[in-house]
Amino acid sequence: MSSSDKPLLGGIEAGGTKFVLAVGHSPTEIIARHEIPTRDPSTTLAEAGEWFEGQQAISALGIASFGPVELDRSSPHWGHITNTPKPGWANCDIAGYFAERLAVPIGFDTDVNGAALAEYEHGAGKAAASLAYITVGTGIGGGLVLDGTAVHGAAHPETGHILPRRHADDREFEGVCPHHGDCLEGLASGPAIKARWGSSLSELPADHLAHEIIAYYLAQLAHSLIAMTAAEIIVLGGGVMRTGGLLGRVNERASQIGAAYFPGGSKHKIVSPGLGNNAGLAGALLLAPSH
Ligand code: ZN
């Protein structure tokens, strides 16, 4: 069937700073795309709804949202953002809003699960059976796809909140996670870097110790993911990962820590997103139920 015969799908990558909207025949056949800044929920959702109403009619909508979110279909709060500290957004019924306004079936998951599914199907994981997608930016989040299915467990993984071993030259910093202090997000997210060294990682000279410290923590995340899930591909995305040389340092450190122990051997790879910055939006379209 030609792409114009396929049903038209909508996608929303709902982020803390912007909403990216798209209409397309598939995650790789996007025909219209639009970005709006994330303001308060009523303004933001109304603006997004208006944009979709101005497009060709869609038959389903996928939403890949910042979290935490409720993913239990039997819960009355399914499709809600839950206890986010982001002002105004706690308990926002994001799926319900679009179900009512656009009157189409809604698929809903975390932004990182969406991105993980998109990387698995169309990006860095195309040749693999398992993949983890990690974003390192304002926070650290991760989604995991094993044998084609995003792992949800009781809700969804919160990979950024594992507890790493402290770097020998980073013992004093308390960490910025409001819940756990020096969890991974508390030590290696963008705000944690800024709190220690006063700037982003990419602004610090290449020989600054910060590069080694952050690489050490992210390597531990990759190591833990491989140890616990045997995921073949670890995709590292997000703003902090755009720092020159960081991916290489993480790879180096991870292979030191791993000490050639894992039975999956060279099947394990730590890579950049194959879809670049489009993983989240492609994930949203993949979540649209009629796909
Ligand atoms: Zn934490």
Side-chain angles (χ1 to χ4, degrees), residues 166-177 180-198 213-214 217:
R166 295 298 292 260
H167 189 282
D169 296 313
D170 188 42
R171 299 242 186 249
E172 306 301 320
F173 181 60
E174 288 174 358
V176 300
C177 177
H180 319 113
D182 63 351
C183 68
L184 184 75
E185 179 172 300
L187 290 174
S189 60
I193 293 165
K194 190 137 205 184
R196 288 226 242 357
W197 299 298
I213 292 172
I214 297 306
Y217 293 136

mmCIF file of all heavy atoms in Angstrom, residues 166-177 180-198 213-214 217:
data_model
loop_
_atom_site.group_PDB
_atom_site.id
_atom_site.type_symbol
_atom_site.label_atom_id
_atom_site.label_comp_id
_atom_site.label_asym_id
_atom_site.label_seq_id
_atom_site.Cartn_x
_atom_site.Cartn_y
_atom_site.Cartn_z
ATOM 1 N N ARG A 166 30.958 6.212 44.068
ATOM 2 C CA ARG A 166 31.493 7.570 43.899
ATOM 3 C C ARG A 166 32.903 7.555 43.308
ATOM 4 O O ARG A 166 33.727 6.687 43.636
ATOM 5 C CB ARG A 166 31.536 8.294 45.262
ATOM 6 C CG ARG A 166 30.163 8.536 45.887
ATOM 7 C CD ARG A 166 29.270 9.425 45.059
ATOM 8 N NE ARG A 166 29.717 10.795 44.973
ATOM 9 C CZ ARG A 166 29.207 11.791 45.713
ATOM 10 N NH1 ARG A 166 28.247 11.565 46.584
ATOM 11 N NH2 ARG A 166 29.655 13.022 45.559
ATOM 12 N N HIS A 167 33.152 8.539 42.450
ATOM 13 C CA HIS A 167 34.490 8.729 41.897
ATOM 14 C C HIS A 167 35.414 9.228 43.010
ATOM 15 O O HIS A 167 35.005 10.046 43.841
ATOM 16 C CB HIS A 167 34.415 9.751 40.758
ATOM 17 C CG HIS A 167 35.678 9.874 39.970
ATOM 18 N ND1 HIS A 167 36.760 10.580 40.427
ATOM 19 C CD2 HIS A 167 36.026 9.378 38.750
ATOM 20 C CE1 HIS A 167 37.723 10.517 39.509
ATOM 21 N NE2 HIS A 167 37.299 9.791 38.482
ATOM 22 N N ALA A 168 36.649 8.764 43.004
ATOM 23 C CA ALA A 168 37.601 9.109 44.075
ATOM 24 C C ALA A 168 37.791 10.622 44.221
ATOM 25 O O ALA A 168 38.056 11.119 45.313
ATOM 26 C CB ALA A 168 38.935 8.429 43.802
ATOM 27 N N ASP A 169 37.649 11.370 43.128
ATOM 28 C CA ASP A 169 37.821 12.820 43.188
ATOM 29 C C ASP A 169 36.494 13.558 43.252
ATOM 30 O O ASP A 169 36.423 14.746 42.927
ATOM 31 C CB ASP A 169 38.616 13.304 41.957
ATOM 32 C CG ASP A 169 40.026 12.735 41.964
ATOM 33 O OD1 ASP A 169 40.683 12.805 43.032
ATOM 34 O OD2 ASP A 169 40.460 12.199 40.922
ATOM 35 N N ASP A 170 35.453 12.865 43.646
ATOM 36 C CA ASP A 170 34.119 13.492 43.685
ATOM 37 C C ASP A 170 33.377 12.990 44.931
ATOM 38 O O ASP A 170 32.241 12.547 44.852
ATOM 39 C CB ASP A 170 33.351 13.131 42.397
ATOM 40 C CG ASP A 170 32.033 13.887 42.272
ATOM 41 O OD1 ASP A 170 31.999 15.098 42.569
ATOM 42 O OD2 ASP A 170 31.026 13.255 41.873
ATOM 43 N N ARG A 171 34.027 13.068 46.051
ATOM 44 C CA ARG A 171 33.439 12.498 47.265
ATOM 45 C C ARG A 171 32.590 13.490 48.047
ATOM 46 O O ARG A 171 31.728 13.089 48.825
ATOM 47 C CB ARG A 171 34.543 11.991 48.193
ATOM 48 C CG ARG A 171 35.395 10.900 47.578
ATOM 49 C CD ARG A 171 35.292 9.611 48.373
ATOM 50 N NE ARG A 171 36.207 8.611 47.860
ATOM 51 C CZ ARG A 171 35.815 7.507 47.232
ATOM 52 N NH1 ARG A 171 34.546 7.251 47.053
ATOM 53 N NH2 ARG A 171 36.707 6.649 46.785
ATOM 54 N N GLU A 172 32.828 14.802 47.863
ATOM 55 C CA GLU A 172 32.202 15.800 48.739
ATOM 56 C C GLU A 172 30.807 16.221 48.263
ATOM 57 O O GLU A 172 29.920 16.479 49.071
ATOM 58 C CB GLU A 172 33.080 17.070 48.821
ATOM 59 C CG GLU A 172 34.522 16.805 49.242
ATOM 60 C CD GLU A 172 34.606 16.138 50.604
ATOM 61 O OE1 GLU A 172 33.813 16.527 51.496
ATOM 62 O OE2 GLU A 172 35.425 15.203 50.770
ATOM 63 N N PHE A 173 30.627 16.305 46.954
ATOM 64 C CA PHE A 173 29.385 16.835 46.384
ATOM 65 C C PHE A 173 28.183 16.003 46.838
ATOM 66 O O PHE A 173 28.189 14.777 46.722
ATOM 67 C CB PHE A 173 29.509 16.831 44.854
ATOM 68 C CG PHE A 173 28.318 17.383 44.137
ATOM 69 C CD1 PHE A 173 27.890 18.689 44.351
ATOM 70 C CD2 PHE A 173 27.614 16.600 43.225
ATOM 71 C CE1 PHE A 173 26.789 19.198 43.677
ATOM 72 C CE2 PHE A 173 26.507 17.095 42.549
ATOM 73 C CZ PHE A 173 26.095 18.407 42.777
ATOM 74 N N GLU A 174 27.161 16.698 47.327
ATOM 75 C CA GLU A 174 26.004 15.976 47.898
ATOM 76 C C GLU A 174 25.037 15.440 46.853
ATOM 77 O O GLU A 174 24.225 14.562 47.140
ATOM 78 C CB GLU A 174 25.218 16.920 48.818
ATOM 79 C CG GLU A 174 25.939 17.217 50.116
ATOM 80 C CD GLU A 174 25.214 18.258 50.946
ATOM 81 O OE1 GLU A 174 24.164 18.779 50.490
ATOM 82 O OE2 GLU A 174 25.710 18.549 52.037
ATOM 83 N N GLY A 175 25.086 16.021 45.647
ATOM 84 C CA GLY A 175 24.145 15.592 44.600
ATOM 85 C C GLY A 175 22.897 16.448 44.617
ATOM 86 O O GLY A 175 22.548 17.032 45.646
ATOM 87 N N VAL A 176 22.215 16.512 43.479
ATOM 88 C CA VAL A 176 21.077 17.432 43.350
ATOM 89 C C VAL A 176 19.724 16.732 43.266
ATOM 90 O O VAL A 176 18.704 17.394 43.101
ATOM 91 C CB VAL A 176 21.234 18.359 42.111
ATOM 92 C CG1 VAL A 176 22.500 19.196 42.215
ATOM 93 C CG2 VAL A 176 21.223 17.565 40.804
ATOM 94 N N CYS A 177 19.683 15.404 43.363
ATOM 95 C CA CYS A 177 18.368 14.767 43.293
ATOM 96 C C CYS A 177 17.593 15.080 44.572
ATOM 97 O O CYS A 177 18.081 14.818 45.671
ATOM 98 C CB CYS A 177 18.482 13.246 43.120
ATOM 99 S SG CYS A 177 16.847 12.448 43.126
ATOM 100 N N HIS A 180 17.014 11.500 46.305
ATOM 101 C CA HIS A 180 18.084 10.576 46.701
ATOM 102 C C HIS A 180 19.442 11.234 46.832
ATOM 103 O O HIS A 180 20.419 10.554 47.102
ATOM 104 C CB HIS A 180 18.207 9.427 45.676
ATOM 105 C CG HIS A 180 16.898 8.902 45.201
ATOM 106 N ND1 HIS A 180 16.449 9.048 43.912
ATOM 107 C CD2 HIS A 180 15.912 8.263 45.867
ATOM 108 C CE1 HIS A 180 15.245 8.516 43.780
ATOM 109 N NE2 HIS A 180 14.884 8.036 44.951
ATOM 110 N N GLY A 181 19.525 12.540 46.642
ATOM 111 C CA GLY A 181 20.835 13.197 46.731
ATOM 112 C C GLY A 181 21.769 12.736 45.644
ATOM 113 O O GLY A 181 21.665 13.165 44.495
ATOM 114 N N ASP A 182 22.668 11.793 45.979
ATOM 115 C CA ASP A 182 23.725 11.428 45.037
ATOM 116 C C ASP A 182 23.429 10.160 44.238
ATOM 117 O O ASP A 182 24.301 9.326 44.029
ATOM 118 C CB ASP A 182 25.082 11.333 45.730
ATOM 119 C CG ASP A 182 25.123 10.232 46.792
ATOM 120 O OD1 ASP A 182 24.060 9.657 47.119
ATOM 121 O OD2 ASP A 182 26.227 9.955 47.283
ATOM 122 N N CYS A 183 22.175 10.020 43.779
ATOM 123 C CA CYS A 183 21.905 8.992 42.770
ATOM 124 C C CYS A 183 22.542 9.450 41.454
ATOM 125 O O CYS A 183 23.112 10.543 41.377
ATOM 126 C CB CYS A 183 20.394 8.778 42.605
ATOM 127 S SG CYS A 183 19.544 10.178 41.865
ATOM 128 N N LEU A 184 22.431 8.637 40.409
ATOM 129 C CA LEU A 184 23.071 8.987 39.139
ATOM 130 C C LEU A 184 22.611 10.359 38.634
ATOM 131 O O LEU A 184 23.426 11.192 38.247
ATOM 132 C CB LEU A 184 22.777 7.907 38.094
ATOM 133 C CG LEU A 184 23.477 8.142 36.761
ATOM 134 C CD1 LEU A 184 24.959 7.825 36.851
ATOM 135 C CD2 LEU A 184 22.830 7.340 35.652
ATOM 136 N N GLU A 185 21.290 10.580 38.634
ATOM 137 C CA GLU A 185 20.783 11.883 38.175
ATOM 138 C C GLU A 185 21.312 13.006 39.064
ATOM 139 O O GLU A 185 21.623 14.102 38.591
ATOM 140 C CB GLU A 185 19.243 11.871 38.180
ATOM 141 C CG GLU A 185 18.632 13.187 37.755
ATOM 142 C CD GLU A 185 17.111 13.102 37.567
ATOM 143 O OE1 GLU A 185 16.660 12.307 36.728
ATOM 144 O OE2 GLU A 185 16.392 13.836 38.278
ATOM 145 N N GLY A 186 21.413 12.728 40.350
ATOM 146 C CA GLY A 186 21.928 13.718 41.298
ATOM 147 C C GLY A 186 23.394 14.045 41.075
ATOM 148 O O GLY A 186 23.872 15.102 41.492
ATOM 149 N N LEU A 187 24.124 13.151 40.401
ATOM 150 C CA LEU A 187 25.565 13.344 40.196
ATOM 151 C C LEU A 187 25.949 13.701 38.768
ATOM 152 O O LEU A 187 26.976 14.337 38.552
ATOM 153 C CB LEU A 187 26.318 12.056 40.583
ATOM 154 C CG LEU A 187 26.362 11.696 42.062
ATOM 155 C CD1 LEU A 187 27.015 10.336 42.244
ATOM 156 C CD2 LEU A 187 27.096 12.754 42.867
ATOM 157 N N ALA A 188 25.166 13.258 37.778
ATOM 158 C CA ALA A 188 25.656 13.354 36.403
ATOM 159 C C ALA A 188 24.703 14.064 35.436
ATOM 160 O O ALA A 188 25.000 14.177 34.253
ATOM 161 C CB ALA A 188 25.970 11.953 35.863
ATOM 162 N N SER A 189 23.558 14.569 35.922
ATOM 163 C CA SER A 189 22.659 15.314 35.032
ATOM 164 C C SER A 189 23.243 16.702 34.758
ATOM 165 O O SER A 189 24.187 17.140 35.435
ATOM 166 C CB SER A 189 21.288 15.457 35.697
ATOM 167 O OG SER A 189 21.415 16.167 36.920
ATOM 168 N N GLY A 190 22.658 17.404 33.804
ATOM 169 C CA GLY A 190 23.092 18.771 33.500
ATOM 170 C C GLY A 190 23.121 19.665 34.740
ATOM 171 O O GLY A 190 24.137 20.322 35.012
ATOM 172 N N PRO A 191 22.035 19.700 35.536
ATOM 173 C CA PRO A 191 22.050 20.546 36.741
ATOM 174 C C PRO A 191 23.115 20.126 37.765
ATOM 175 O O PRO A 191 23.676 20.979 38.460
ATOM 176 C CB PRO A 191 20.636 20.353 37.328
ATOM 177 C CG PRO A 191 19.796 19.978 36.146
ATOM 178 C CD PRO A 191 20.689 19.181 35.236
ATOM 179 N N ALA A 192 23.414 18.837 37.849
ATOM 180 C CA ALA A 192 24.459 18.375 38.779
ATOM 181 C C ALA A 192 25.832 18.864 38.319
ATOM 182 O O ALA A 192 26.691 19.225 39.128
ATOM 183 C CB ALA A 192 24.447 16.851 38.874
ATOM 184 N N ILE A 193 26.041 18.869 37.007
ATOM 185 C CA ILE A 193 27.311 19.355 36.444
ATOM 186 C C ILE A 193 27.454 20.841 36.724
ATOM 187 O O ILE A 193 28.477 21.319 37.198
ATOM 188 C CB ILE A 193 27.362 19.048 34.923
ATOM 189 C CG1 ILE A 193 27.444 17.531 34.713
ATOM 190 C CG2 ILE A 193 28.523 19.761 34.250
ATOM 191 C CD1 ILE A 193 27.144 17.069 33.292
ATOM 192 N N LYS A 194 26.368 21.562 36.481
ATOM 193 C CA LYS A 194 26.372 23.019 36.695
ATOM 194 C C LYS A 194 26.599 23.345 38.173
ATOM 195 O O LYS A 194 27.333 24.283 38.515
ATOM 196 C CB LYS A 194 25.033 23.593 36.209
ATOM 197 C CG LYS A 194 24.997 25.084 36.162
ATOM 198 C CD LYS A 194 24.335 25.587 34.889
ATOM 199 C CE LYS A 194 24.857 26.982 34.613
ATOM 200 N NZ LYS A 194 24.252 27.639 33.493
ATOM 201 N N ALA A 195 25.978 22.577 39.064
ATOM 202 C CA ALA A 195 26.109 22.843 40.497
ATOM 203 C C ALA A 195 27.556 22.661 40.969
ATOM 204 O O ALA A 195 28.036 23.373 41.840
ATOM 205 C CB ALA A 195 25.184 21.919 41.288
ATOM 206 N N ARG A 196 28.275 21.708 40.381
ATOM 207 C CA ARG A 196 29.661 21.468 40.788
ATOM 208 C C ARG A 196 30.639 22.437 40.153
ATOM 209 O O ARG A 196 31.523 22.960 40.790
ATOM 210 C CB ARG A 196 30.095 20.065 40.344
ATOM 211 C CG ARG A 196 29.450 18.958 41.144
ATOM 212 C CD ARG A 196 30.472 17.987 41.527
ATOM 213 N NE ARG A 196 30.317 16.622 41.021
ATOM 214 C CZ ARG A 196 29.356 16.099 40.309
ATOM 215 N NH1 ARG A 196 28.393 16.837 39.828
ATOM 216 N NH2 ARG A 196 29.348 14.822 39.993
ATOM 217 N N TRP A 197 30.483 22.636 38.849
ATOM 218 C CA TRP A 197 31.545 23.308 38.095
ATOM 219 C C TRP A 197 31.102 24.615 37.443
ATOM 220 O O TRP A 197 31.867 25.243 36.726
ATOM 221 C CB TRP A 197 32.110 22.338 37.047
ATOM 222 C CG TRP A 197 32.713 21.122 37.695
ATOM 223 C CD1 TRP A 197 33.784 21.109 38.558
ATOM 224 C CD2 TRP A 197 32.280 19.757 37.566
ATOM 225 N NE1 TRP A 197 34.028 19.818 38.964
ATOM 226 C CE2 TRP A 197 33.134 18.962 38.369
ATOM 227 C CE3 TRP A 197 31.264 19.132 36.850
ATOM 228 C CZ2 TRP A 197 32.995 17.574 38.488
ATOM 229 C CZ3 TRP A 197 31.128 17.756 36.960
ATOM 230 C CH2 TRP A 197 31.986 16.989 37.774
ATOM 231 N N GLY A 198 29.846 25.016 37.670
ATOM 232 C CA GLY A 198 29.397 26.342 37.239
ATOM 233 C C GLY A 198 29.117 26.489 35.756
ATOM 234 O O GLY A 198 28.821 27.586 35.291
ATOM 235 N N ILE A 213 34.939 12.308 35.406
ATOM 236 C CA ILE A 213 33.990 11.968 36.486
ATOM 237 C C ILE A 213 32.621 11.605 35.913
ATOM 238 O O ILE A 213 32.029 10.573 36.263
ATOM 239 C CB ILE A 213 33.900 13.132 37.497
ATOM 240 C CG1 ILE A 213 35.226 13.258 38.264
ATOM 241 C CG2 ILE A 213 32.721 12.940 38.457
ATOM 242 C CD1 ILE A 213 35.330 14.489 39.154
ATOM 243 N N ILE A 214 32.121 12.418 34.996
ATOM 244 C CA ILE A 214 30.792 12.158 34.416
ATOM 245 C C ILE A 214 30.828 10.870 33.575
ATOM 246 O O ILE A 214 29.913 10.051 33.639
ATOM 247 C CB ILE A 214 30.314 13.376 33.588
ATOM 248 C CG1 ILE A 214 30.152 14.604 34.498
ATOM 249 C CG2 ILE A 214 28.997 13.062 32.866
ATOM 250 C CD1 ILE A 214 29.256 14.414 35.720
ATOM 251 N N TYR A 217 30.524 7.845 35.855
ATOM 252 C CA TYR A 217 29.168 7.553 36.336
ATOM 253 C C TYR A 217 28.285 6.966 35.225
ATOM 254 O O TYR A 217 27.539 6.014 35.452
ATOM 255 C CB TYR A 217 28.506 8.818 36.911
ATOM 256 C CG TYR A 217 29.173 9.301 38.190
ATOM 257 C CD1 TYR A 217 29.451 10.647 38.384
ATOM 258 C CD2 TYR A 217 29.515 8.406 39.192
ATOM 259 C CE1 TYR A 217 30.061 11.089 39.545
ATOM 260 C CE2 TYR A 217 30.135 8.839 40.357
ATOM 261 C CZ TYR A 217 30.404 10.175 40.532
ATOM 262 O OH TYR A 217 31.001 10.605 41.683
#
